[in-house]
Amino acid sequence: MRLRAEYRVESNLKFLGNLDMMNLMTRALRRAGIPFALSEGFNPHVKLSMGTVLPVGVWGKQEYFDLELIQDMQSDEFIAKMNGVLPLGMEIQRCIKLEDKQAALMKIINAASYTFILKNSDYDYAALPDTLMSQDKLLVKSRGKQKGIDKDLRPGIFEITVNFHEESVMISILVNVGEPVNVRYDELLDLLKDHGVQYEEVLDIFRSENFMRTGNIFCSPFEKVR
Amino acid sequence: MKDRIFRDILPNVSKPARYTGSEVNIICKDWDECRTKIAFAFPDVYEVGMSHVGSKILYGLINEKSDHLLERVYAPWPDMEKEMRSHEIPLFTLESFKAVNEFDVVGFTLQYELAITNVLNMLDMSDIPLWSKDRNEQYPLIIAGGPVVFNPEPYADFFDVFVVGDGEEVLLEFLDCCWENRHLKRQEQLLKLALLEGVYVPSLYSVHYNEDGTFNKMIPLYESVPDTIKKRVVADLDNAYFPVKPVLPYMNIIHDRAVLEVMRGCQRGCRFCHAGVVYRPVRERSIKTLKKQASEQLASTGYDEIGLTSLSTLDYSGVDSLVKDLVKEYREQGTGVSLPSLRVDAFSIELANEVQKVRKTTLTLAPEAGTQRMRDMINKNVSEEQLLTAVKAAFQSGWLSIKLYFMDGLPGETEEDLEGILELLKKIRTLGDENARKKVEIRASIASFVPKAHTPFQWQAQNTMEELEEKRRILSRNKMKRIKMSFHDSRTSYLEGVFSRGDRRLSASIYLAWQKGSKFDGWSEYFNFSRWMEAFRESEIKTEFYTSRLRSYDEVLPWDFIDTGVSKAYLQDEDEKAAAGITTGDCRWDGCTGCGICPAFAIDLDIKEEFRG
């Protein structure tokens, strides 16, 4: 059977790389005694596929992985066993059974939302969404594959929202992931800086959600299954 | 401090997971509830230090079995050091994020001579004075253990105390003693500690040299202080503490697997080998104990590999059953077994075959020398026939590449011995091409011999750098297809040679080298030889005195006061036999060879199982 799990990565684990996350998860699966399926070959590995890479330095509220099991397991049991062994700062929140033909996570997640928590200051954060969204182009230096060349983020940004709290401001930016414009969180940070946001004001960054987008409809990898 | 580190520093450094702590199985004890607090400092980067088995043992032992507290700290990589210094963050431990200078004791493990510059750098980052004489009881007690401290003298002026021998045998009583005497002045504390067996307090001795610069004697300054320091030995390894809930790192470390220490010590008697003497006698663990440790470690970590470690794992009496049973038991879960460098014989290959049922591994053999003459001289009791039989079996079993370890610069080495290495490599390649299903790759790693204290070769001259360079030229004169040779840096070996048989007068050079920026000297990207040479010049040290000078048997050696149990007569006899090309047996099989270590500790070889294979 295949299952899809949603998990949370807290701030204390935000500096782990993708390989570290994979190791953390497979070792937890072993400690929990989950009946995972193994690949064939010289170096057998757990049939685990993680969603899009959570960047180093960013924590995640709703991240996903798919896992193949060799025997059926109830969602509740899976969650309880895993949460019993996962380190502080990592928790499985939901889990659902997948149909066999369901496409792999990496292929279907094509949008994500990053949230920047900033210290509230004199800066006019309320005006930021309109300022940015009204422009034809939002150029930054690419931090991805073609490092250093000009990259237009505008077609990859779907929505910007700003929420005010007592002492902080939360800017959430909904962006495209993968083709045609893969928007990275560090490029967004550069964009904010280019528009006068002070780097020192940034208190924290996390990925709030991952989506499967079709046109203007954004679904979570769980909704799509149902 | 933790918040500042996470917010201001870690986003700007490479591999931040080195510094975050909070790993699975971490032990964070209540600071105020604990007695002696020790920061266990590994003077290299996290992924190296976390792979060290001795550290895992001491971490578990102190934290699980005592009221003391032991927290980890590793050398920050230079990018991290720069950030920490510019943000005025002192060196901190990974458990409590407390500054290292808040601890009662800072314990360094010295696995490698050149790690000393990292020790100084870590002390400096902790705002702790580097010289022992500049520290009073306001500062932590700075101590060191590990294989390097069997000749502690070059580092004597930086440390308050050295702990010699098996750490788990002495550390608990050491920390108890620190606790009992915590209200005393530093000097009085040191006098108390000096009474413990295996504990050496360098400031309690005066050191005298002869006019020709050779060592004369060491005199204890107080009557209660012992003349010699006897290493500590765990007599019953099978019942000794071993951690089954090791800290599980998030990032990849060098040896990223569950570890079983199947035995301690080695009985082979290779004449160049330091570990072979200082860790004697051989003490094994039983298969029953090891299997239990394996299952508990896998359950607590989720590792998918079990490494069998020791100085010569294939000699472990239970190796055959243990490997086969572990493979059988864990194969279904995709959990494999790994063996370190193999013994050179067909049995080893058979076992390696067993192991790779689960996971493909690389095959590593260590013939060490290229001719029979030289292998006899170093007492590497391996014949060419054994080697070729083993290699042939490996190729027939499907291996397509093989890794071989050699040494050059050995005493009495001639050009013929070097040619012998090349000839052997070619023979192995031919054997591979004939017996494997396609053309094979041979990798040879060649290290320079460094004479070590407490070995039969402790009197021998080390090759000069010019000699070593010439030997490398001979070895790499002709390119050989599908044979890849790599050489250890001869300058590094040379420096190791200075310290491995050095004395107290070297401390000024070490200090200067550090001051000039030396650190991470074991890492080629940071190693800077000319800085070291400047340091020696400025401190008026002639390095040849330590390296290329043939010592006479009646010379008093600066490490003679460290009692490893080996008799000097035995070492001399072995050195003479080497020159005559006479081999010495292996005391596991051929009876006692008279090294003197067992009687010195009133213990015996501890062999647990009936050997099969």
Side-chain angles (χ1 to χ4, degrees):
Chain A
M1 98 175 244
R2 281 173 72 204
L3 58 80
R4 175 165 295 167
E6 181 195 278
Y7 63 100
R8 181 185 174 92
V9 183
E10 296 283 351
S11 190
N12 66 319
L13 298 177
K14 69 181 177 181
F15 291 112
L16 303 195
N18 194 45
L19 187 64
D20 305 335
M21 282 294 181
M22 289 273 290
N23 279 337
L24 186 161
M25 209 53 93
T26 54
R27 287 167 183 171
L29 290 166
R30 286 176 184 279
R31 291 198 299 276
I34 304 295
F36 50 76
L38 284 170
S39 68
E40 307 286 325
F42 284 134
N43 284 300
H45 58 266
V46 178
K47 286 193 171 172
L48 167 77
S49 69
M50 311 278 276
T52 51
V53 174
L54 185 63
V56 173
V58 175
W59 57 278
K61 259 186 165 167
Q62 285 158 282
E63 297 296 313
Y64 300 91
F65 67 77
D66 290 351
L67 175 71
E68 201 174 315
L69 300 181
I70 51 171
Q71 65 192 60
D72 278 11
M73 202 173 184
Q74 292 297 316
S75 295
D76 291 352
E77 189 191 354
F78 180 80
I79 293 174
K81 281 191 166 167
M82 286 296 282
N83 286 344
V85 300
L86 281 170
L88 193 72
M90 174 86 86
E91 189 192 5
I92 310 276
Q93 304 177 128
R94 290 194 287 171
C95 166
I96 199 165
K97 193 176 167 179
L98 280 186
E99 298 305 321
D100 282 344
K101 50 189 183 295
Q102 210 82 40
L105 271 173
M106 283 293 269
K107 291 201 183 116
I108 52 170
I109 291 177
N110 58 4
S113 169
Y114 289 100
T115 301
F116 301 82
I117 305 178
L118 301 108
K119 221 183 292 172
N120 206 350
S121 64
D122 301 342
Y123 186 87
D124 187 4
Y125 289 110
L128 195 64
D130 284 346
T131 313
L132 292 175
M133 295 306 276
S134 63
Q135 295 181 38
D136 295 340
K137 281 190 169 189
L138 292 170
L139 291 181
V140 294
K141 297 283 180 222
S142 170
R143 284 178 178 263
K145 278 178 194 133
Q146 291 170 295
K147 203 166 270 171
I149 69 154
D150 280 338
K151 177 172 172 181
D152 181 14
L153 298 186
R154 184 59 192 86
I157 297 180
F158 303 121
E159 191 186 36
I160 302 177
T161 52
V162 176
N163 286 298
F164 290 88
H165 298 264
E166 256 171 55
E167 293 190 343
S168 63
V169 187
M170 285 169 82
I171 306 175
S172 291
I173 309 180
L174 183 58
V175 298
N176 188 64
V177 170
E179 294 301 318
V181 188
N182 185 51
V183 179
R184 296 165 52 104
Y185 90 96
D186 43 8
E187 291 165 349
L188 291 173
L189 204 52
D190 289 342
L191 183 69
L192 293 177
K193 273 192 265 178
D194 291 347
H195 287 80
V197 174
Q198 295 298 309
Y199 183 73
E200 294 69 39
E201 317 266 284
V202 181
L203 301 174
D204 205 357
I205 307 167
F206 63 95
R207 184 152 78 186
S208 32
E209 281 175 283
N210 286 284
F211 296 106
M212 298 149 67
R213 179 181 74 92
T214 328
N216 285 326
I217 303 168
F218 292 81
C219 301
S220 93
F222 270 62
E223 287 166 319
K224 201 73 178 186
V225 172
R226 293 192 202 105
Chain B
M1 183 153 77
K2 187 174 177 178
D3 289 345
R4 279 180 63 208
I5 293 164
F6 270 66
R7 201 190 61 218
D8 300 336
I9 293 189
L10 294 186
N12 309 322
V13 302
S14 61
K15 302 195 180 174
R18 285 166 174 161
Y19 315 105
T20 57
S22 85
E23 301 99 324
V24 173
N25 296 335
I26 190 172
I27 303 175
C28 298
K29 291 174 95 168
D30 186 330
W31 183 268
D32 297 319
E33 296 287 305
C34 288
R35 295 185 165 188
T36 308
K37 285 107 182 162
I38 172 171
F40 190 84
F42 196 101
D44 207 322
V45 73
Y46 178 85
E47 52 268 39
V48 174
M50 280 291 286
S51 302
H52 175 236
V53 180
S55 306
K56 298 180 205 231
I57 295 175
L58 297 178
Y59 185 83
L61 177 73
I62 302 305
N63 288 325
E64 289 171 17
K65 304 284 176 197
S66 80
D67 294 333
H68 307 300
L69 162 158
L70 183 146
E71 300 192 353
R72 296 164 299 147
V73 56
Y74 301 93
W77 197 247
D79 65 340
M80 178 65 173
E81 180 191 341
K82 203 174 143 211
E83 291 285 332
M84 287 169 71
R85 287 189 189 270
S86 75
H87 286 84
E88 293 181 357
I89 300 265
L91 193 66
F92 59 87
T93 58
L94 295 179
E95 277 71 18
S96 65
F97 283 82
K98 280 195 192 296
V100 166
N101 62 10
E102 291 180 47
F103 286 74
D104 304 312
V105 181
V106 181
F108 286 91
T109 176
L110 296 180
Q111 297 292 310
Y112 174 58
E113 290 90 352
L114 303 189
I116 187 63
T117 45
N118 274 12
V119 171
L120 298 194
N121 207 40
M122 288 169 82
L123 290 176
D124 185 63
M125 290 184 75
S126 311
D127 282 321
I128 296 173
L130 308 191
W131 300 95
S132 169
K133 64 176 166 54
D134 298 333
R135 294 190 296 258
N136 59 14
E137 56 284 352
Q138 313 268 301
Y139 292 101
L141 202 61
I142 309 300
I143 73 172
V148 169
V149 311
F150 284 92
N151 177 21
E153 285 306 276
Y155 326 104
D157 292 338
F158 303 116
F159 291 96
D160 305 315
V161 176
F162 292 98
V163 177
V164 182
D166 293 336
E168 68 265 60
E169 188 65 16
V170 58
L171 193 56
L172 280 176
E173 63 188 73
F174 183 89
L175 297 177
D176 288 344
C177 186
C178 291
W179 177 251
E180 284 154 21
N181 300 298
R182 64 191 180 281
H183 303 303
L184 299 183
K185 290 271 175 211
R186 176 55 47 89
Q187 180 74 357
E188 293 164 47
Q189 289 173 338
L190 291 174
L191 279 163
K192 295 276 188 196
L193 290 166
L195 300 176
L196 301 176
E197 190 159 278
V199 170
Y200 167 49
V201 181
S203 61
L204 301 181
Y205 298 80
S206 67
V207 180
H208 306 270
Y209 301 91
N210 299 315
E211 268 179 27
D212 63 0
T214 55
F215 194 80
N216 180 285
K217 62 183 166 191
M218 268 174 87
I219 306 172
L221 300 174
Y222 301 85
E223 210 173 320
S224 64
V225 176
D227 295 324
T228 58
I229 306 296
K230 196 170 182 181
K231 78 173 179 192
R232 294 297 291 267
V233 173
V234 171
D236 181 359
L237 196 72
D238 201 33
N239 286 306
Y241 172 82
F242 195 79
V244 290
K245 289 178 78 177
V247 178
L248 180 69
Y250 289 121
M251 65 180 295
N252 265 320
I253 60 171
I254 309 289
H255 300 298
D256 214 356
R257 56 182 81 101
V259 184
L260 298 179
E261 188 192 18
V262 298
M263 63 179 187
R264 197 170 296 174
C266 175
Q267 78 299 325
R268 306 224 119 208
C270 298
R271 291 176 178 136
F272 54 83
C273 185
H274 179 251
V277 175
V278 302
Y279 293 120
R280 270 192 184 194
V282 165
R283 292 145 289 158
E284 294 190 339
R285 285 197 166 94
S286 65
I287 291 182
K288 190 173 161 233
T289 302
L290 292 167
K291 280 191 190 168
K292 184 162 177 273
Q293 290 174 356
S295 113
E296 289 173 350
Q297 270 191 76
L298 292 177
S300 74
T301 60
Y303 269 129
D304 62 2
E305 190 178 333
I306 308 164
L308 306 187
T309 180
S310 77
L311 292 170
S312 179
T313 296
L314 269 288
D315 286 338
Y316 167 54
S317 62
V319 70
D320 188 61
S321 322
L322 182 64
V323 167
K324 286 177 180 159
D325 290 356
L326 290 175
V327 167
K328 204 166 114 198
E329 180 144 12
Y330 298 109
R331 195 178 169 176
E332 286 282 285
Q333 309 163 20
T335 298
V337 175
S338 72
L339 298 166
S341 156
L342 295 179
R343 197 173 66 190
V344 185
D345 59 20
F347 166 68
S348 304
I349 305 301
E350 189 203 309
L351 263 198
N353 270 325
E354 191 65 25
V355 159
Q356 62 145 11
K357 278 183 186 165
V358 190
R359 256 158 229 282
K360 196 86 190 161
T361 52
T362 50
L363 199 66
T364 312
L365 299 172
E368 307 291 5
T371 58
Q372 197 58 48
R373 186 190 81 91
M374 186 48 79
R375 284 194 297 273
D376 288 347
M377 288 180 76
I378 61 178
N379 206 41
K380 185 85 195 180
N381 288 325
V382 169
S383 70
E384 181 163 315
E385 196 198 331
Q386 280 172 319
L387 175 64
L388 295 181
T389 311
V391 169
K392 188 173 163 186
F395 290 130
Q396 284 173 338
S397 323
W399 266 281
L400 293 171
S401 73
I402 197 161
K403 193 172 177 193
L404 297 151
Y405 287 139
F406 290 98
M407 268 191 286
D408 68 354
L410 287 161
E413 187 175 61
T414 64
E415 196 166 333
E416 237 166 80
D417 298 309
L418 301 174
E419 295 290 350
I421 294 178
L422 301 177
E423 286 309 310
L424 200 54
L425 289 173
K426 284 189 259 185
K427 270 187 206 166
I428 291 170
R429 182 183 57 189
T430 309
L431 207 56
D433 292 349
E434 287 167 5
N435 289 281
R437 62 193 147 76
K438 52 181 187 184
K439 297 228 183 271
V440 298
E441 297 277 341
I442 315 291
R443 280 180 298 154
S445 168
I446 294 144
S448 302
F449 165 66
V450 178
K452 300 271 174 166
H454 306 290
T455 66
F457 290 161
Q458 64 178 352
W459 296 280
Q460 290 289 343
Q462 183 180 4
N463 276 182
T464 63
M465 270 182 297
E466 291 71 33
E467 285 169 320
L468 288 176
E469 286 308 313
E470 177 56 24
K471 288 181 177 178
R472 264 123 222 249
R473 263 194 296 280
I474 293 171
L475 285 170
S476 46
R477 203 161 37 199
N478 297 313
K479 271 222 152 29
M480 297 180 290
K481 265 193 189 156
R482 293 180 282 110
I483 296 178
K484 227 174 114 190
M485 294 220 268
S486 60
F487 296 92
H488 286 209
D489 191 331
S490 58
R491 297 167 308 173
T492 307
S493 307
Y494 185 78
L495 261 191
E496 289 165 24
V498 174
F499 293 109
S500 70
R501 295 184 294 170
D503 57 40
R504 255 182 218 205
R505 292 169 295 187
L506 290 170
S507 60
S509 319
I510 294 171
Y511 181 80
L512 279 173
W514 167 76
Q515 226 178 19
K516 291 172 190 296
S518 287
K519 60 189 162 200
F520 283 100
D521 283 306
W523 296 75
S524 54
E525 63 262 56
Y526 287 102
F527 179 66
N528 182 323
F529 188 63
S530 54
R531 214 152 43 196
W532 273 103
M533 285 298 123
E534 269 173 48
F536 287 126
R537 234 184 349 265
E538 288 169 27
S539 50
E540 297 178 7
I541 289 290
K542 298 256 182 294
T543 50
E544 313 81 59
F545 176 81
Y546 297 100
T547 56
S548 45
R549 182 171 62 89
L550 184 71
R551 290 144 171 87
S552 79
Y553 289 134
D554 50 23
E555 182 173 328
V556 182
L557 303 170
W559 54 92
D560 280 346
F561 77 104
I562 299 279
D563 181 7
T564 66
V566 78
S567 87
K568 224 175 165 183
Y570 168 83
L571 294 180
Q572 180 179 337
D573 191 42
E574 281 295 297
D575 188 44
E576 288 167 347
K577 278 162 105 182
I582 302 168
T583 61
T584 294
D586 174 320
C587 64
R588 183 190 282 271
W589 315 107
D590 310 327
C592 176
T593 56
C595 73
I597 297 176
C598 290
F601 293 94
I603 50 177
D604 205 351
L605 284 197
D606 188 5
I607 309 297
K608 289 287 183 223
E609 312 288 340
E610 198 72 36
F611 192 82
R612 283 193 287 140

